[in-house]
Amino acid sequence: MDELQELYQELIVDHNRTPRNFGRCAHTTHTADGKNPLCGDHIEVFVEKENGVLKEVMFEGAGCAIAKASASLMTTIAKGKTEEEVEELFHLFQEVVTTKPEDPLPESEKLGKLIAFAGVRVFPARVKCASLAWHTLHAAIKNTSSATTE
Amino acid sequence: MNTTDVAVLRKEFPMLEKTMHGKPLVYLDNAATTLKPRSVIEKEREYYEAYTSNIHRGVYYFSAFASQQFEDVRETAKIFFDAPEKEEIIFVRGATEGINLVAHSFGKAYIQAGDEILISAMEHHANIVPWQMVAKERGAVLKVIPIDDQGDLIMEEYKKLLTEKTKIVAVTYVSNALGTVNPVKEIIALAHEKNIPVLIDGCQAVQHLPLSLRELDCDFFVASGHKMYGPTGVGILYGKRKYLDAMPPYQTGGDMIASVSFEETSFAPLPAKFEAGTPNIAGVIGFGEALRFIEKYGRKEIAEYEKELLAYATAQVGNLPKVRLIGTAKEKASVLSFVIDGIHPHDIGTVLDTEGVAIRTGQHCAEPVMKHFGVEATARLSVSFYNTKEDIDHCVRALQKTLTLFG
């Protein structure tokens, strides 16, 4: 698989084309606004949290295929997880997209489909696209109203 | 210029021998920065290897020699830009610093509460934010000349915005996001009818068009060396003596004073007054070489060749399905901005990257322009005279690949 196919693999192209959980939660308890000021990517994350569990996670916004697919996949994965589990996934995800191409990727069963974003490693300029949604979700849970990857 | 000339010219640029992701580099991001010819690189290296010393102070041979080399560039720049006096050329870090200097110092000397500063809707952030800061500081108002849907300034509105409250007009010669060439001569003449000074941001013009500051008659002019085949971290500010003499210094320190005591300091005359501290000596000397490099090929010849190249790119890219061109002004230079329906510019940029094609994607430091056209960002290619039709073809093939991938 070449670098380009590795980056834009089926799962990512699919989530970009038909984003999951696009919209707002009916009973939003936490929300944050995420921006990449340099490129104009803009993602809003909405969370319904109950007893430390993310019952509902949704997003809205506009951005590149990587940013959108990452937000979409994130919502499907974060849904039903506890706050701590989501934080752990956030860190694992960061590791996946920032590990140097020549170094081994983190091995964890928890990663699941997130490993699809490993292709981003070869394109350092795109790391912030991939992580925007995660930063925004993190900000929402921590009750910070905005996030930026700059 | 013909294809043989371009083939010869290309050999002067070491970067054009590089590959990106294993493909020969097709460099179409010239509005961001131009590649550097060997002569410029060598000239800069020469200062470090053969006559490093500080300028304007040493009595010894190398310092005098370096000072001469440095000051010779002021003369070269005076001739290149056709400025009335060489003392009116101030060396700065780049156009951004030049605009900040004018906004700050001119603002202090001339702008009062209730005054107006007039800029345009197609300015780079560097020609918006410094004025915004000054307006805030002085209690002045920032006014904006609107643009139409082709990306041309609406001159009728401009005329209406020039009032007795207007203290300065600051507009770009060529838009970095749209490629529009503004009718700067007319803009300047109209402002002068009301005795309003004009700053021209020449960043995207100086490397593409012949120009004469004397003919333009603008009051301030800025340009960055790195966008005209020169080193980064050096640029020029031109200002009419009558303003520069009346403006307070922007930064203070060494090299810019006449005498200092703990009670009082008197400042050196132009240009030293605005050149505090040790400047980018190597950069300025390299910049002089860049000006000679451009002159060797001729700005008229460069303009004609690039115009042809831009027309070709516009036709080829414009013919692709789902493409919308952003910025179709009557007169344009170098820049072709576009969006593809359903594909984000970043994804376009990444596919092109893997094909060895370097373009810019994003907001181009011109967020208001993006808003005007209702887009989040654009893809932008910008040509230089070392580019060829083959470069454009290469880029178009990569765009076709993008369309297939996301189609």
Side-chain angles (χ1 to χ4, degrees), chain B residues 16-84:
Chain B
L16 289 175
E17 292 156 20
K18 295 280 169 199
T19 58
M20 195 160 76
H21 297 280
K23 311 264 169 65
L25 174 67
V26 173
Y27 189 76
L28 291 168
D29 194 17
N30 295 287
T33 198
T34 53
L35 304 179
K36 318 302 170 199
R38 216 165 255 121
S39 59
V40 168
I41 301 165
E42 283 307 318
K43 195 80 187 169
E44 200 168 0
R45 179 212 295 269
E46 195 184 48
Y47 163 75
Y48 288 121
E49 286 186 353
Y51 59 97
T52 298
S53 51
N54 212 329
I55 55 167
H56 299 153
R57 55 197 76 182
V59 290
Y60 54 93
Y61 171 78
F62 284 123
S63 174
F65 184 76
S67 304
Q68 193 58 48
Q69 293 285 308
F70 182 89
E71 286 304 322
D72 281 351
V73 179
R74 211 183 298 277
E75 182 62 28
T76 308
K78 173 200 174 276
I79 296 167
F80 184 92
F81 295 105
D82 195 24

Side-chain angles (χ1 to χ4, degrees), chain B residues 320-361:
Chain B
L320 291 169
K322 298 180 182 178
V323 163
R324 174 184 158 210
L325 302 181
I326 304 294
T328 48
K330 288 188 282 292
E331 212 185 316
K332 287 184 63 176
S334 179
V335 168
L336 183 67
S337 259
F338 59 95
V339 291
I340 303 181
D341 188 28
I343 309 176
H344 193 278
H346 266 176
D347 298 312
I348 301 171
T350 292
V351 180
L352 267 54
D353 172 32
T354 61
E355 291 294 313
V357 182
I359 62 158
R360 173 79 187 271
T361 58

Side-chain angles (χ1 to χ4, degrees), chain A residues 2-5 7-8 13 16-17 37-42 62-66 122-123 125-126 128-129, chain B residues 21 342 344-351 353-355 360-365 367 376-377 401 405-407:
Chain A
D2 73 8
E3 290 169 349
L4 197 63
Q5 285 168 332
L7 178 69
Y8 293 113
V13 172
N16 171 49
R17 220 172 266 154
L38 286 181
C39 57
D41 288 346
H42 181 197
C64 62
I66 303 298
V122 191
F123 301 91
R126 305 302 301 276
K128 59 184 183 352
C129 310
Chain B
H21 297 280
H344 193 278
H346 266 176
D347 298 312
I348 301 171
T350 292
V351 180
D353 172 32
T354 61
E355 291 294 313
R360 173 79 187 271
T361 58
Q363 301 190 324
H364 319 298
C365 298
E367 221 177 310
E376 294 287 338
K401 187 177 174 185
L405 191 70
F406 290 96

Side-chain angles (χ1 to χ4, degrees), chain B residues 312 316 388-398 400:
Chain B
Y312 182 74
Q316 297 302 308
T388 61
K389 286 188 178 167
E390 288 74 50
D391 286 345
I392 306 294
D393 293 340
H394 211 91
C395 176
V396 168
R397 275 195 298 275
Q400 278 159 340

